[in-house]
Amino acid sequence: MPPADIVDDAWSDSDDELEADVETAVDLGVPDGPVDDPASLLDPTVSRIGGHPTFLSAPYPPTAHATCKNCSQPMELLIQIWCPLEDSPNDRALFVWGCANGPCQRKEGSIRAWRELRFNKKYAEKLERKQARRKQKELEAAKIAAAEAAKKAQPKSNPFALGATAGPNPFGLGSQIFGGASEPATEPTQTDPAERDGSSDDEHASGSESGTEDEDEDDSLVAGMQSASLEDSPWKAAPAYPPLYLSTVAEYLPPPPKVKVPAGATVDPDDDKASKGKDSGGWDFEGYENSLDVDHAFERFSRRVSYEGEQCLRYEHGGTPLPYASDKVFDQLFPIPPAPPAPVTKAEFMVTPPRKRTFALDSLPRCPHCQSRRVFECQLMPNLINVLKAPTEEQKKMTDEERRAEVLRTLRGQGASGRKGMEWGTCMVFSCEKDCSGKEDGSTWREELVMVQWEE
């Protein structure tokens, strides 16, 4: 009988060791049906795809905010996101407009993003109380930590030293037999229900008031919505796609397939799971890989998007963008790291780890209003173009001969001026890190940086 082959059991495919899906820090926006409710159309807290914009308060911004910088024509709203920051006293919404005219494609200014801020006085007061309670808890925790440290720092007493405090007598039972003075019994302390819950009277009071405050916030926001109706506004005449709800889902990545790695081989630790952190998103830069005619950025983009094909938006405030292709925008956001210095003494064989591209915030222009850094906030995905595509009346009425003539004109370049349709791969929006605002009454508008990677 021949001897059995020796198997290197360095890994196992046991079901107990299979990893569950990994949830990243990215929120995905997916279409969720048409917006038919008139109240939802007037509600700025309802994120949407297409439609007309709904502003936080009046007066309305000028329609020039949604004008293409190339053809000077009004642009359609691509997406509106309700995205207030947790520790900010401002209501916050983000608007992205895009031009679909053929000659404007691949030109700067055909995609524009604006954020609107509205100071919420009631929430600002609530936020101050919350921060005060948090600071008080931090002070109490610091006092307890200092007391514990001081207690540990005290020298231990020697029970055999002269003048040492007598410890407990192991024969202390005799004092009780012979009528010695005993320590007064201490009554058991009762725990307050509020202390058991870990809450104070102030927190209970704030909790009882929170319902009323939330109702007041909703009433004030509804009043602002009603005053911001577009019925008597030039925005009502702006072109628009049919409105769709934009729902948010978490991004999950399946576990990678288990591969048996030969002895001596290395595995690239840079994978899609690295996006769980804020500063992740490295890219290999090796001469051998880059000599191949393969766009590794596009491959990674396609693989990542394939896990949720319906995504129209990726949102991760302060996170890392997902590049569409290896182009100038990619080189700016993920610059090539410098090579290690070569030895100058003598020729030596030196093994260096592969260089990785990392997301460089300093490569972005700063906020022109407060000079703060800009951070990544969201990016539009290619499926958004498919969702927004709607056949026009002219296309519906075209005959086969007219359609063939239109195709011939396009192939000859004669129909470029009348061509409609967006041709970008992804549009990345970078906003002010401090979310700067100009005033506490009314709305503040800030145009943010949009970097577009066009489809080749």
Side-chain angles (χ1 to χ4, degrees):
M1 183 175 181
D5 294 337
I6 299 176
V7 179
D8 183 11
D9 192 15
W11 62 281
S12 172
D13 57 356
S14 172
D15 292 339
D16 296 336
E17 296 181 3
L18 289 178
E19 299 180 9
D21 290 352
V22 177
E23 180 180 355
T24 70
V26 180
D27 291 325
L28 302 179
V30 296
D32 197 12
V35 183
D36 297 328
D37 184 16
S40 298
L41 293 174
L42 295 177
D43 190 350
T45 65
V46 176
S47 299
R48 69 200 67 185
I49 296 173
H52 288 101
T54 301
F55 305 120
L56 299 180
S57 65
Y60 320 113
T63 55
H65 282 25
T67 300
C68 177
K69 293 184 177 181
N70 300 288
C71 64
S72 301
Q73 296 297 318
M75 298 186 293
E76 292 88 354
L77 178 69
L78 303 183
I79 207 162
Q80 175 178 341
I81 314 168
W82 168 253
C83 49
L85 303 182
E86 183 178 359
D87 295 328
S88 172
N90 294 317
D91 296 329
R92 189 173 184 271
L94 186 69
F95 305 84
V96 182
W97 284 277
C99 182
N101 292 330
C104 299
Q105 303 306 300
R106 306 178 185 277
K107 293 183 180 179
E108 186 178 354
S110 60
I111 306 290
R112 302 179 66 180
W114 290 80
R115 63 178 169 94
E116 181 186 9
L117 302 175
R118 175 179 175 268
F119 182 74
N120 191 325
K121 183 178 180 181
K122 294 185 179 296
Y123 184 76
E125 296 172 354
K126 184 178 179 180
L127 189 62
E128 288 181 1
R129 291 194 296 269
K130 179 180 177 182
Q131 292 175 349
R133 289 195 300 270
R134 184 187 304 169
K135 187 176 181 180
Q136 183 65 26
K137 288 182 179 180
E138 291 176 354
L139 291 176
E140 293 176 358
K143 288 181 181 179
I144 294 174
E148 291 291 336
K151 185 177 180 180
K152 292 181 180 179
Q154 290 179 355
K156 296 182 179 179
S157 60
N158 186 358
F160 301 101
L162 293 177
T165 303
N169 185 4
F171 306 101
L173 183 61
S175 62
Q176 299 181 15
I177 297 176
F178 297 102
S182 60
E183 296 181 359
T186 58
E187 297 181 358
T189 58
Q190 296 182 355
T191 305
D192 192 288
E195 296 177 357
R196 186 176 0 183
D197 297 337
S199 57
S200 62
D201 295 339
D202 294 338
E203 292 179 353
H204 281 292
S206 63
S208 62
E209 295 173 0
S210 61
T212 306
E213 291 175 355
D214 292 341
E215 292 177 0
D216 293 341
E217 281 182 32
D218 294 340
D219 293 342
S220 62
L221 191 57
V222 169
M225 289 158 38
Q226 292 175 352
S227 63
S229 174
L230 299 180
E231 292 300 330
D232 300 329
S233 167
W235 286 96
K236 190 66 176 178
Y241 297 105
L244 302 172
Y245 285 108
L246 179 69
S247 296
T248 304
V249 297
E251 182 187 41
Y252 290 92
L253 302 181
K258 292 192 175 183
V259 180
K260 189 174 180 180
V261 180
T266 59
V267 179
D268 180 18
D270 175 38
D271 54 16
D272 288 330
K273 290 185 180 180
S275 66
K276 183 69 177 176
K278 290 287 184 183
D279 299 328
S280 58
W283 295 81
D284 275 342
F285 181 71
E286 298 186 42
Y288 173 75
E289 290 187 355
N290 284 268
S291 64
L292 302 177
D293 189 16
V294 176
D295 191 340
H296 297 281
F298 180 75
E299 281 193 347
R300 185 175 181 179
F301 181 91
S302 302
R303 183 177 68 252
R304 189 71 172 268
V305 174
S306 66
Y307 300 139
E308 177 52 72
E310 292 187 2
Q311 60 180 283
C312 296
L313 175 77
R314 297 177 63 86
Y315 189 94
E316 186 186 8
H317 189 274
T320 303
L322 181 64
Y324 176 76
S326 300
D327 55 4
K328 293 181 179 179
V329 175
F330 174 74
D331 291 335
Q332 178 181 347
L333 297 178
F334 296 85
I336 300 175
V344 295
T345 55
K346 60 180 181 178
E348 295 180 355
F349 177 75
M350 183 174 59
V351 178
T352 59
R355 291 179 287 163
K356 286 184 177 293
R357 297 174 181 251
T358 55
F359 179 42
L361 285 176
D362 294 335
S363 65
L364 300 171
R366 291 181 171 266
C367 174
H369 303 281
C370 67
Q371 297 303 314
S372 298
R373 294 192 310 174
R374 278 194 169 108
V375 296
F376 172 75
E377 180 160 357
C378 66
Q379 65 185 106
L380 309 185
M381 304 303 287
N383 188 46
L384 180 62
I385 299 178
N386 299 326
V387 171
L388 292 175
K389 278 183 178 179
T392 61
E393 295 296 329
E394 295 180 358
Q395 290 175 334
K396 291 180 181 179
K397 296 178 181 179
M398 288 178 63
T399 63
D400 292 340
E401 295 181 358
E402 292 173 343
R403 194 172 291 106
R404 292 193 199 97
E406 179 68 21
V407 171
L408 289 175
R409 285 196 299 269
T410 303
L411 293 176
R412 295 170 182 171
Q414 299 175 356
S417 60
R419 190 177 72 248
K420 298 284 289 186
M422 294 175 288
E423 300 174 359
W424 44 262
T426 187
C427 304
M428 296 171 280
V429 180
F430 301 88
S431 58
C432 175
E433 185 178 28
K434 293 185 177 179
D435 200 39
C436 62
S437 59
K439 53 186 178 180
E440 292 189 357
D441 55 337
S443 294
T444 299
W445 285 87
R446 294 284 189 265
E447 184 168 13
E448 297 297 359
L449 175 66
V450 180
M451 301 189 73
V452 183
Q453 290 186 290
W454 300 98
E455 187 174 357
E456 297 297 336

